Amino acid sequence: MPASSDQLALENWPPDLTAAFKDLPESRRWWIALSGGCDSLFLLHCLATLAPRHGVTLHAIHLHHGLNAEADQWQQHCEQVCEGLAVPLVSERLALDPDQPDLEARAREARYECFESLLEPGDLLFMAHHGDDQAETVLLRLLRGSGVRGLAGMPAERELGNGRLVRPLLGLERRRIEALARDWMLDWCEDGSNRDTRFDRNYLRHEIMPRLEARWPRSGRRMGRSAEHCREAEQLLSELADMDARSTASGQGISVQALAQLSGPRRQQLLRHLLIGHGCQPPGERRLASGLEALLYAPDDGQPELRGEDWRVCRFRDQLWLVPDLPVVRMDADAEWSVNGSLEWFGTLLTSARREGSGLAIEAGERLRIQARRGGERFRPGPGQPHRPLSKWLQEQRIPPWERAHLPLVFSDGELVAIADLWLAPEWRAGEGQTGWMPVWCRPWQLLKAAP
């Protein structure tokens, strides 16, 4: 039977528990990731006590992984507990194939995708990770050869989708949480798979950490302190990278020549910092170093690049660009486009803006043909000028190679009337007093630069 409201009252909390929830971010709604285990149920009761004092509503999210025979019972238990606390519960079922590799990683990715889909601006998602979880994370990353950023472990707070993720229990050990949960007479579910040492984290938890604790008592807490030191070091490295980004700035981006003047570790840290700022996971140390070497020193016509999971960093002239992986444009690509509509074009988007006295002098809704470059195109850049090869003109306009490859050409009755938003045929331009439609081509690639 759960503890009484007096036992759960904030005034009766021990000091270490009270301190764990000090300085919570401002919010309009709280969510808790509720598994039904001891840690998350304990956190649920803490938040149910705190929510009225903070003037926020509390909601719970339970994810049914479909991997355990008792998963239905866990969901029912979560429903019963939430009903007793008058906390609305959302239950989602994840589609995971247990026979595919990297089950742990896939399950984690699926969980966070679900969390992100629920969070709205101003929402907080609370997770019940504690000090032992932090120690296991640090040790796992150490064994994988992680750098300072990885060894900083799990942050107590970070952005997640439109909201923020908060881990208030990182300063408490598992045994402390279990002792408090027993004092509060909470009833939780035990997941037998947590003892399956085929999984890396379970192996560390049951085989390695007890031996470390036996030889070096409180070693888990010491790992947590090391994570805090690494987090401070990562903050200092980020500040140094911001300084280097300013010192190597050229126009809106980063100068490759200035970047080459930095020491190897500093330019690698700067590139890593910029990628993280753009939401990209940097590659490993060796691939980062070799890719950066190519970007800095390859010949001008070499088109060097550093490849990531679904993106690449490309060099064009003296600047670096972040280019997402996009579908290849077929030479015979052809599509119809309504001038006041939008058209997805191989990972880019073609729209238009209504303009007075500029743009294409055509009627709203008029349909045009969009074609890919097929080679050998010639056009007249301006009135009275001779026809010129499109390929040479694009080079003179300093259009990057990947942009040239995706360029949409706009035709009307077989006549070239626009080259994306780079050029309009003079005889098709709206004059004074006319309404025109200016093509707008939304490109997903961007200069690699520091955050403003």
Side-chain angles (χ1 to χ4, degrees):
M1 180 177 179
S4 66
S5 57
D6 289 340
Q7 290 174 290
L8 297 176
L10 187 60
E11 294 75 14
N12 295 326
W13 284 15
D16 57 346
L17 183 58
T18 301
F21 293 91
K22 185 175 64 174
D23 300 326
L24 290 176
E26 291 293 327
S27 174
R28 65 179 186 83
R29 180 170 60 175
W30 288 356
W31 289 89
I32 175 175
L34 184 64
S35 68
C38 175
D39 308 327
S40 66
L41 272 175
F42 174 75
L43 179 58
L44 172 66
H45 282 78
C46 292
L47 296 177
T49 300
L50 289 169
R53 300 202 177 203
H54 286 259
V56 298
T57 59
L58 174 62
H59 298 254
I61 169 69
H62 174 78
L63 300 182
H64 189 307
H65 289 72
L67 301 174
N68 193 296
E70 299 177 318
D72 290 340
Q73 299 177 24
W74 301 337
Q75 178 174 326
Q76 292 172 6
H77 185 68
C78 291
E79 291 171 349
Q80 293 170 1
V81 173
C82 287
E83 183 178 359
L85 294 173
V87 173
L89 174 68
V90 174
S91 295
E92 297 285 347
R93 191 180 185 101
L94 303 181
L96 298 171
D97 186 347
D99 297 325
Q100 294 298 316
D102 300 323
L103 180 59
E104 283 181 288
R106 288 188 291 111
R108 180 184 184 278
E109 182 177 350
R111 286 195 297 270
Y112 280 91
E113 286 180 356
C114 186
F115 294 150
E116 288 188 28
S117 69
L118 287 172
L119 295 182
E120 298 178 359
D123 286 2
L124 298 183
L125 172 72
F126 289 84
M127 299 189 75
H129 296 120
H130 46 65
D132 296 66
D133 294 321
Q134 183 74 296
E136 293 161 10
T137 297
V138 171
L139 190 52
L140 274 172
R141 294 180 179 177
L142 179 65
L143 293 171
R144 293 168 183 165
S146 296
V148 171
R149 180 169 175 258
L151 296 179
M154 296 179 289
E157 180 185 336
R158 70 171 176 87
E159 291 183 0
L160 181 63
N162 293 317
R164 295 193 69 79
L165 166 63
V166 181
R167 298 182 175 101
L169 302 182
L170 286 180
L172 300 178
E173 295 175 312
R174 179 183 289 112
R175 55 190 167 190
R176 174 58 170 159
I177 292 173
E178 290 180 351
L180 290 170
R182 285 192 293 269
D183 289 344
W184 288 359
M185 294 179 286
L186 301 184
D187 183 21
W188 61 84
C189 303
E190 294 288 352
D191 184 354
S193 67
N194 285 336
R195 305 200 66 84
D196 187 347
T197 55
R198 292 177 300 173
F199 298 114
D200 290 343
R201 185 175 289 272
N202 289 345
Y203 180 78
L204 287 180
R205 180 176 302 166
H206 299 294
E207 300 291 338
I208 303 302
M209 293 301 295
R211 299 185 184 185
L212 292 177
E213 290 283 348
R215 181 65 182 261
W216 295 283
R218 311 308 292 272
S219 58
R221 178 166 296 215
R222 294 190 179 99
M223 291 181 195
R225 286 205 299 268
S226 293
E228 293 175 5
H229 296 323
C230 287
R231 193 169 299 113
E232 292 176 357
E234 173 63 16
Q235 178 63 36
L236 292 175
L237 289 174
S238 295
E239 293 176 6
L240 176 61
D242 284 332
M243 295 170 56
D244 287 340
R246 291 191 291 270
S247 69
T248 58
S250 174
Q252 293 186 343
I254 301 295
S255 166
V256 173
Q257 291 185 6
L259 183 63
Q261 302 306 310
L262 299 177
S263 66
R266 284 180 69 165
R267 62 195 183 211
Q268 288 181 39
Q269 173 61 21
L270 174 55
L271 183 56
R272 190 181 295 113
H273 179 72
L274 294 175
L275 288 171
I276 293 171
H278 284 78
C280 298
Q281 177 63 36
E285 182 179 0
R286 288 185 180 180
R287 190 148 58 92
L288 181 69
S290 61
L292 184 54
E293 188 80 5
L295 290 169
L296 295 180
Y297 302 116
D300 291 340
D301 59 354
Q303 298 187 17
E305 61 182 34
L306 167 66
R307 280 206 163 270
E309 183 175 344
D310 54 4
W311 52 264
R312 53 196 169 117
V313 176
C314 301
R315 188 189 77 193
F316 183 65
R317 297 186 180 272
D318 188 44
Q319 293 187 314
L320 298 178
W321 291 76
L322 183 62
V323 183
D325 286 344
L326 301 177
V328 176
V329 180
R330 306 183 311 274
M331 290 184 63
D332 62 350
D334 185 289
E336 187 177 79
W337 174 50
S338 177
V339 72
N340 59 340
S342 61
L343 173 69
E344 292 188 7
W345 182 255
F346 297 92
T348 69
L349 184 67
L350 183 63
T351 63
S352 63
R354 183 173 176 172
R355 302 282 175 83
E356 297 298 326
S358 65
L360 294 172
I362 56 179
E363 296 295 328
E366 185 168 335
R367 297 187 177 278
L368 305 172
R369 300 302 304 179
I370 309 300
Q371 294 180 2
R373 293 177 59 202
R374 298 174 181 177
E377 292 91 356
R378 298 176 67 86
F379 76 112
R380 192 189 303 273
Q385 296 184 13
H387 283 81
R388 302 197 56 204
L390 175 59
S391 58
K392 187 171 181 61
W393 182 81
L394 291 173
Q395 292 178 2
E396 293 172 352
Q397 298 300 310
R398 299 189 175 186
I399 305 301
W402 55 89
E403 184 166 325
R404 298 175 218 161
H406 279 77
L407 200 65
L409 304 182
V410 185
F411 290 86
S412 178
D413 294 329
E415 181 180 356
L416 181 65
V417 299
I419 302 172
D421 51 10
L422 303 175
W423 171 86
L424 300 179
E427 58 273 20
W428 285 78
R429 294 176 185 172
E432 185 176 352
Q434 286 184 297
T435 298
W437 295 90
M438 181 67 71
V440 177
W441 188 34
C442 302
R443 308 141 167 92
W445 44 85
Q446 55 188 312
L447 278 171
L448 194 62
K449 58 183 179 181

